[in-house]
Amino acid sequence: MAVDELIGLLKALETVGASAMRAASGAEALEALRTEYLGRKGRITAILRRLGELSAEEKPVVGAEANRVKAALDALLTERETAFAGTANEGPRVDLTLPGRARWRGGVHPVTLVIDEICDIFRDLGFSRVAGPEVETVDYNFSKLNTPLDHPAADMHDTFYLQDGVVLRTHTSPAQAHVMEHFQPPVRVVVPGMVYRRDPYDASHAPAFAQLEGLAVDEGITFADFKATISEFVRRFFGADAKTRFRPSFFPFTEPSAEVDVSCRICAGAGCSACKHTGWMEIMGSGMVHPNVFEAVGYDPEKYTGYAFGMGPGRIALQRYKLPDIRLLYEGDMRFLGQFA
Ligand code: DAH
């Protein structure tokens, strides 16, 4: 019977067509299949031409089946075309509208900037820049600096002991002893470096921080030389209008000892929260080198005198860059450090 034959042909066409469409290698092949199967002179139309062989009741049956096959093949073609369109659009995966990537630039750490600037000023004043070891014996860290081991500074609570009698230096002052043991007067050095203390870690304390030691020894050096040198340093570093104040203090390795204050850079001495309303900011401990220190390193205390000082470049960087928290300087956050590049 013609009906069964035509319906069989349509079903066969669906099977063959579908597998050809699934195997098609690209958009062009699919286009050709669309014409071959669904086109006006296509294979389905060819079958429908034979509808004339059928009776009035049979025609709609075959017609309906032809429409179903057409729709099915059309849906499959569309699905496959969309899949190929997806890959075609991928092209090179470059978005030319994206902004260019900024080139990464390294910079000098703010504490290093401050240290370099301080050392440059002291170089102009006749001081050499030297370094000392960060691991010291208690002898160098304390004893040679006229600090007995029962002094609170030598206590386990304040000092990192690596082993018996060996510590991470708690200050840069032991470098004084190394320098004097290696060189005869006249001596003028500055010694920047890291020091370590068992301090709490908060906005104004870090267990590791930078210090900068200074030492000048010769015949006839007096406290007046110290005042003149430091006052000149303060003017050059902080500005011509910066005032310097010397306050009596105590350190085991100096006699007399003094702390040096600079008129507050933020309020110019009027008093603000940065200077705790005193108008002054402490920048260093200092004094005339104690005769016991000279004896410990083999200098003749009858012949030589000298001054020494120790300052905190981290604290000074906080003032200079108006930073609220010393931890910013030691945590390596690139968003912060990048601002100094
Ligand atoms: N070493 C002292 C400290 O860490 C600072 C200091 C004070 C250094 C007086 C000196 C000095 O050279 O003479 O607190």
Side-chain angles (χ1 to χ4, degrees):
M1 274 216 0
V3 188
D4 295 335
E5 189 198 340
L6 291 183
I7 290 194
L9 281 173
L10 284 168
K11 287 200 194 308
L13 204 65
E14 182 183 8
T15 312
V16 177
S19 66
M21 288 164 193
R22 288 205 185 85
S25 60
E28 273 179 33
L30 286 172
E31 193 51 44
L33 288 170
R34 184 181 284 284
T35 314
E36 181 184 344
Y37 284 82
L38 307 180
R40 270 196 298 125
K41 298 176 184 166
R43 297 173 69 165
I44 291 185
T45 313
I47 292 173
L48 291 179
R49 281 211 188 94
R50 291 180 55 195
L51 283 184
E53 300 170 19
L54 303 176
S55 69
E57 300 88 62
E58 288 168 336
K59 277 179 191 165
V61 181
V62 176
E65 179 63 6
N67 283 339
R68 191 193 61 76
V69 172
K70 246 188 199 171
L73 290 180
D74 184 58
L76 181 59
L77 275 168
T78 309
E79 181 196 315
R80 297 284 293 139
E81 279 162 0
T82 321
F84 280 118
T87 24
N89 279 352
E90 260 173 32
R93 289 178 182 249
V94 176
D95 182 350
L96 297 174
T97 65
L98 282 176
R101 251 174 239 169
R103 188 179 280 222
W104 200 87
R105 280 221 281 137
V108 180
H109 191 282
V111 173
T112 308
L113 288 173
V114 165
I115 288 174
D116 289 347
E117 195 178 329
I118 294 171
C119 290
D120 283 353
I121 293 170
F122 277 100
R123 184 191 53 212
D124 288 351
L125 299 175
F127 288 71
S128 307
R129 176 177 181 160
V130 300
E134 293 186 12
V135 173
E136 291 281 12
T137 60
V138 291
D139 204 28
Y140 279 91
N141 199 75
F142 300 117
S143 312
K144 284 177 195 270
L145 296 170
N146 198 38
T147 311
L149 290 179
D150 57 9
H151 189 279
D155 198 290
M156 296 277 284
H157 290 289
D158 299 316
T159 303
F160 289 111
Y161 279 79
L162 297 180
Q163 60 190 61
D164 211 16
V166 181
V167 300
L168 287 176
R169 67 178 172 190
T170 59
H171 49 177
T172 44
S173 301
Q176 290 184 30
H178 290 295
V179 167
M180 290 190 280
E181 284 177 346
H182 280 89
F183 301 99
Q184 288 304 302
V187 157
R188 277 192 201 82
V189 291
V190 281
V191 194
M194 293 302 284
V195 304
Y196 303 87
R197 287 186 200 169
R198 294 182 64 167
D199 271 341
Y201 189 43
D202 61 29
S204 49
H205 298 85
F209 58 98
Q211 262 199 353
L212 190 141
E213 195 78 11
L215 174 72
V217 183
D218 201 352
E219 288 180 51
I221 288 190
T222 68
F223 199 82
D225 295 307
F226 174 60
K227 287 185 77 171
T229 304
I230 290 304
S231 301
E232 179 59 18
F233 160 73
V234 166
R235 277 191 294 272
R236 291 199 194 185
F237 187 87
F238 291 99
D241 61 327
K243 293 192 199 64
T244 310
R245 175 172 87 169
F246 297 81
R247 267 184 301 112
S249 184
F250 173 81
F251 298 100
F253 29 92
T254 43
E255 182 58 38
S257 302
E259 273 167 332
V260 180
D261 298 340
V262 175
S263 50
C264 179
R265 306 321 299 147
I266 292 162
C267 63
C272 66
S273 59
C275 61
K276 299 195 181 84
H277 302 283
T278 63
W280 296 93
M281 298 187 308
E282 186 207 318
I283 56 160
M284 66 176 82
S286 63
M288 300 303 290
V289 179
H290 198 289
N292 290 353
V293 175
F294 282 148
E295 257 163 26
V297 299
Y299 277 14
D300 180 357
E302 295 299 323
K303 190 170 172 198
Y304 296 114
T305 51
Y307 58 82
F309 53 88
M311 54 181 133
R315 291 265 167 88
I316 293 174
L318 293 192
Q319 295 161 12
R320 161 143 299 184
Y321 302 113
K322 299 192 172 46
L323 305 172
D325 193 317
I326 204 160
R327 288 171 289 199
L328 286 167
L329 299 176
Y330 299 111
E331 296 193 333
D333 184 335
M334 293 308 295
R335 292 166 302 181
F336 168 74
L337 294 175
Q339 299 174 58
F340 296 88

